[in-house]
Amino acid sequence: MITERRPENSMSVADILSSIRTKEYQIDGDFKGKDILSTEQFTRDDILQVMETAARIELSKEGGSYPECENLLKHKRVAVCFYQPSTRTYMSFMAAAQNMGAYVIGVPGMMQYSSAVKGESLQDTVRTIEAHGTDAIVMRHEADDFVIHAAEAADIPIINAGAGKFEHPTQAMLDLYTITQNSPIPLDAMSVTFVGDLKYGRTVHSLAKVLTVMGVPSMNFISPETTCLPTNLASYLEEKGVVVNQQVVHEPGEIGQLITHTDVIYDTRVQKEWFTSDQDYVDACRAIQITPEVMSNAPEHSILLHPLPRVDEITTDVDLDPRAKYFAQVASGVPVRMALLALVMGADTSRLAR
Ligand code: NCD
């Protein structure tokens, strides 16, 4: 039996979203001092501003560093505090803050080494981090609703680096950035296919909403029976005019026939940590594996993304396929997170090349 970690959420996703939809949380062209909790805070123009800022930051890159950016957050302090495991998101936020000259503080492995172990509340921890002269807090937590509790406790920006099964907005921004940089198809004519764990995968929830705002007309959702897209998200996308096509797969290889006309395949890990049954987990993994044979059905111009970590839902021989862009996607994390930190901390990026 897989032991399930089921954090106590005091708020439902609907309640979290109704708070976030209030004016207080909306970005509306002004990032300075704002929290980044959900993709629902962003208009199309806000998203374009993040993309444009990230592109200008990336243009200024020289070798492995960003000399024109290195004073953008000088004398600022960024706390990076993760209550769940992470490789990419943690490192790219650390690198992003350091590339702009910020001091970075935090406790690596909050679940093990912070006073959470002693029973301290999230609110008290957030107030403590703020009391150290911190200008922004990047946080990952297993509870969906940590975003609201942290944002309410702090006066400085809270950046959601992954909230339970809810959302992962900064990942969605870098996913979009990778898509626009690598796909020849314009967003308003694009068909995107999500594969894998659409139920627990917070990256899917955030990216589907960002693509909706950006005018992607059609999205396919392929999953095993146990990890279908949440119905409230499917209806939300439909209400916004997206053509939503959901397909359940049972057997290996079945996905092949479902990706023959798609422009972007966004694969995801089956999130073992939320499953209650071992057998359901094993069956889910079996049904959605992407192999070179599956990829032989996808169009030549298509691209394959994955937020990573991958377990074995994409076999390593697929890495050689030029359509596999998941490691380019990882690299996009740094400029995109630099852009987001710079924007919420009010750094002046106007001198970077246009
Ligand atoms: C994902 C996450 O943590 O939500 N990874 C990431 O941040 N790039 C996906 C996952 O854990 O499967």
Side-chain angles (χ1 to χ4, degrees), residues 82 84-90 140 161-164 167-168 170-171 174-175 197 200-204 266 268-271 273-274 306-311 313 329-330 337:
F82 280 43
Q84 283 186 304
S86 172
T87 302
R88 275 149 293 276
T89 310
Y90 181 81
R140 166 174 289 194
E167 276 211 45
H168 194 346
T170 70
Q171 177 74 37
L174 78 89
D175 293 340
D197 193 335
Y200 301 123
R202 55 196 174 197
T203 68
V204 171
Y266 188 90
T268 55
R269 175 178 71 91
V270 178
Q271 304 211 353
E273 60 270 37
W274 305 109
H306 189 303
L308 303 180
R310 125 182 88 184
V311 185
E313 61 278 8
Q329 191 182 352
V330 173
R337 290 182 168 126

Side-chain angles (χ1 to χ4, degrees), residues 287-300:
I288 52 105
Q289 194 176 52
I290 295 186
T291 59
E293 203 184 335
V294 168
M295 282 305 287
S296 69
N297 296 281
E300 205 59 38

Side-chain angles (χ1 to χ4, degrees), residues 41-322:
Q41 295 168 267
F42 294 77
T43 60
R44 181 185 155 83
D45 282 348
D46 297 332
I47 296 170
L48 288 173
Q49 195 178 342
V50 177
M51 296 299 116
E52 191 241 8
T53 310
R56 287 195 294 121
I57 288 173
E58 196 171 19
L59 263 180
S60 76
K61 188 174 178 191
E62 288 179 23
S65 66
Y66 298 81
E68 286 179 55
C69 298
E70 62 194 16
N71 290 324
L72 285 177
L73 296 183
K74 198 172 173 191
H75 304 309
K76 300 276 186 194
R77 187 167 280 117
V78 176
V80 182
C81 300
F82 280 43
Y83 290 80
Q84 283 186 304
S86 172
T87 302
R88 275 149 293 276
T89 310
Y90 181 81
M91 288 207 276
S92 71
F93 268 115
M94 298 285 281
Q98 287 168 2
N99 287 342
M100 295 187 289
Y103 302 113
V104 184
I105 59 168
V107 177
M110 293 291 282
M111 231 21 233
Q112 258 176 299
Y113 298 114
S114 77
S115 288
V117 180
K118 302 177 184 170
E120 184 172 59
S121 71
L122 180 76
Q123 286 87 342
D124 282 1
T125 303
V126 164
R127 286 187 198 110
T128 303
I129 300 168
E130 189 172 4
H132 285 79
T134 304
D135 299 287
I137 304 176
V138 178
M139 190 171 267
R140 166 174 289 194
H141 199 284
E142 65 180 350
D144 295 357
D145 60 359
F146 99 81
V147 288
I148 300 294
H149 300 311
E152 283 176 354
D155 287 330
I156 53 175
I158 299 290
I159 299 172
N160 170 9
K165 305 175 270 351
F166 170 57
E167 276 211 45
H168 194 346
T170 70
Q171 177 74 37
M173 295 294 158
L174 78 89
D175 293 340
L176 175 67
Y177 188 82
T178 314
I179 291 172
T180 53
Q181 300 242 321
N182 290 281
S183 175
I185 309 298
L187 291 168
D188 61 3
M190 187 178 271
S191 150
V192 178
T193 301
F194 292 87
V195 180
D197 193 335
L198 315 178
K199 181 180 182 185
Y200 301 123
R202 55 196 174 197
T203 68
V204 171
H205 306 161
S206 288
L207 181 59
K209 292 198 269 191
V210 161
L211 294 177
T212 300
V213 175
M214 297 311 289
V216 170
S218 141
M219 297 183 212
N220 310 309
F221 296 92
I222 305 176
S223 71
E225 211 140 21
T226 45
T227 61
C228 293
L229 194 69
T231 45
N232 55 355
L233 180 54
S235 345
Y236 176 88
L237 302 178
E238 277 170 342
E239 274 161 32
K240 301 272 175 192
V242 178
V243 177
V244 172
N245 177 21
Q246 300 195 62
Q247 303 271 357
V248 169
V249 284
H250 301 94
E251 294 304 322
E254 264 182 68
I255 320 169
Q257 296 318 309
L258 305 173
I259 56 169
T260 53
H261 287 93
T262 197
D263 305 306
V264 176
I265 304 159
Y266 188 90
D267 193 28
T268 55
R269 175 178 71 91
V270 178
Q271 304 211 353
K272 189 175 181 179
E273 60 270 37
W274 305 109
F275 271 71
T276 44
S277 140
D278 272 344
Q279 195 54 48
D280 283 354
Y281 171 69
V282 170
D283 291 347
C285 293
R286 197 174 149 264
I288 52 105
Q289 194 176 52
I290 295 186
T291 59
E293 203 184 335
V294 168
M295 282 305 287
S296 69
N297 296 281
E300 205 59 38
H301 74 268
S302 64
I303 57 170
L304 173 63
L305 301 183
H306 189 303
L308 303 180
R310 125 182 88 184
V311 185
D312 47 20
E313 61 278 8
I314 300 181
T315 56
T316 50
D317 43 7
V318 175
D319 300 358
L320 300 173
D321 187 320

